[in-house]
Amino acid sequence: MTVSNSPHVLVVDDDPLTRMMATEALREGGFTIREAEDGEQALALFDAAPPDLVLLDVMMPGLSGFEVCQQLRARQTGHLVPIIMLTGLDDGDSVERAFDVGATDFISKPINWTLLRFRIRYVLRSAEVMKELTRNKESLSNAQRIARLGSWEWFVKEDHVLRSAQYYRLFGQRADGFGEGMAAMLEHVYVPDRPLMAAALEGARKGTGFQLTYRVVWPDGSVRTLLETVEPLDGGGERGCSGMVMEGSVQDITEQVDAQRRIRQLAYFDHLTGLPNREFFRETLLGVTSRSLRHDSRCAVMVVDIDRFARINDSLGPERGDQVLQVIAHRLREAMGDRTPAEPAGGSGITRFKVARLAADEFGILMSDVGSVEEMLVLAHRLLQVVRAPIRVPGQDITLSARVGLAVMPDHATDADALLKAAETALNRAKRTNGDPVALFSEEMKVAAFLRFTLEGDLRRALGADELKVLYQPIVDVNQRAIVKAEALVRWSHMDRGSIPPPEFISLAEETGMIVPLSRCVMEQVCADIAALGDDLPDDFRVSINLSGVNFMDAQLLPTVRAVLAEAGIPASRIEFELTETVLMRDLDYATVILAQLREMGVRVAVDDFGTGYSSLAYLRRLAVDTLKIDRSFVNELDDGQGIAIVEAVIGLAHSLGLEVVAEGVETVAQLEALSRRGCHLIQGFLFARPMSSAMLAAALHNPAFVPATVQPAVRRGGVQLAF
């Protein structure tokens, strides 16, 4: 058989779905497949036609995978057939038991089916090497074989052993100091492997051959790995032996084992810190998230980034930088109580914490079975203190700072890759802000991160092109049955993606600093439209413009407003700025000064989304505001009788302070009637109109039927806008 000629694989699993997926994946890889749903059927199929490889599940009813593997190895035809065990168990004892019963390799579920095909081909190539050795042994004389391998003959009855010179060299011993009898070799076997070897020799004493890999300790303390093959010697009686003779050959496979270990080390571990690398971290995360979903538990990922680490390499050199990284890696691992896979936490077989190096100065921390988000945030801040502790290098102490991004499953993601991405997105937010160095993932971060990569350049272009439009949503005085104000709303019709939702590009503009030129463009367009409408506008008509926190804190806000008004030649009384409570309360003293200056200019100010933030009478008395806008969330609750108390409170507060009150998001006649009965007559919403162009606004201002004297619910169309 050659690996390229459709190898036969026996797939043994009691789960039909797993068998089906394995079968399809392997057939696509060019393998010929037979299936068994339990251990008994697997043994029968094996006996009928031994396969080239067995893919064997551990947990099955009846005979377990361990028992099936053990029975296959007991068969003459099953000594060398590779057996790969599939297991959802990730504890060290299960892995150890798998190898104890003769498994060639094991794979933890969930399975990467693409990598499985390559892994099977690798195992088959290794098995082919072993089979080739066996064929050579059968075809070559004992002299040729002994020249290539260490060998021995054991006359069992007399316990007399003839060993080749090469055999002693494999143990690093001289013949005169090795010891007599077969049991003497046990004294040179590595202590943990002695019970297994002793059991194998006891079987050989009864005529049972074996093939076993074990370790020996040389006099200099080095450890070598040997592969021993034992079988009864044919024709022992013809050679004058008085009893059974066993023959063995020993091969030193240390280099092969070390090579495999080095390959794994290079593939899964960081050579500088010794920590798992990103690939190992991701594979571990796949297992932890899968287990968390099965058991309805929570897991979390933190990504820790060292601030300005490049300056250490630049100023002290890469050698010192490497030393610092090694210290940080050790500290993080000690702080988290990280254990290697061979040291399961608490003996439970589950590694609760895992620290890895994800990038040059970036570390990942995986936590399973976590508690509340608040506990995770406390832990993150504790890790920052660990990083900040001074690091002593020759000649000076180095003090570092760091940023942490945190994401929790299932709160922020439902699969491994999404969870890691969420933590990295949170880290990016923490790195872009000067506030809390620990950032917890939110959907807003996800939107911002996506837009940062895909829309930032487009938005910069759109500011200079004709893609951004200003529309106007009328604000109606139902008592006067007239449009008295309008809110300016910016819309982006992307040349490729079509209409972009305002929250998406507004948040991007705020994060990238483009909100300042964007808001100026809106101001200029609004003032130009007001100037163009001229006498078509009522004397007291004004347009409200939304200002973000970035705009409000911009030192050039007042000069910009003055310049735009002067250029358009319109009075400041035509403009009203809308700001949220949160923006105003960030710095109440600053807000008081700026709003007072806007009032001196003649610009009015409205508090948007009132009721969702601080809603304090004290701050309203301090601030020069003219209008309160009832948030649409409270208006929506009027249909089912909820939110009435808050709406009444806002209206009463506005009237007591002599402020206008506007209800936004009004969509139904019932909402309109409820607001009117409580003294709110300024209405904004789809009930009357969607946002419209300045030309359509001019036409609506001159349409006496735009706000009728009576409202007939029967003529409501589309559930959004009424036609009268």
Side-chain angles (χ1 to χ4, degrees), residues 266-340:
L266 290 172
Y268 288 109
F269 290 87
D270 172 51
H271 72 281
L272 177 64
T273 64
L275 292 177
N277 62 14
R278 188 181 188 90
E279 182 62 25
F280 188 101
F281 186 82
R282 182 180 175 274
E283 289 192 11
T284 305
L285 180 59
L286 285 169
V288 170
T289 53
S290 177
R291 185 170 58 249
S292 295
L293 289 173
R294 290 197 309 270
H295 298 292
D296 195 25
S297 61
R298 292 155 57 85
C299 62
V301 168
M302 283 192 290
V303 182
V304 182
D305 181 82
I306 309 302
D307 288 339
R308 299 183 299 280
F309 182 79
R311 63 180 180 171
I312 296 178
N313 286 330
D314 294 340
S315 58
L316 302 180
E319 182 179 352
R320 291 287 181 265
D322 289 349
Q323 292 174 355
V324 170
L325 285 174
Q326 289 170 338
V327 171
I328 294 298
H330 177 74
R331 286 182 178 179
L332 290 175
R333 191 164 189 170
E334 288 294 310
M336 295 303 300
D338 187 14
R339 298 167 181 264
T340 65

Side-chain angles (χ1 to χ4, degrees), residues 552 558 587-598 600 623:
F552 191 63
L558 296 177
D587 188 336
L588 190 56
D589 293 334
Y590 175 83
T592 301
V593 173
I594 297 300
L595 294 188
Q597 294 182 21
L598 287 172
E600 289 177 3
L623 298 175

Side-chain angles (χ1 to χ4, degrees), residues 19-52:
R19 290 202 312 275
M20 180 190 71
M21 295 179 67
T23 298
E24 292 300 320
L26 295 179
R27 281 177 177 162
E28 288 181 3
F31 296 92
T32 299
I33 307 302
R34 284 185 296 162
E35 299 180 37
E37 63 183 10
D38 57 35
E40 295 291 348
Q41 186 181 13
L43 294 174
L45 290 175
F46 187 96
D47 291 338
D52 297 307

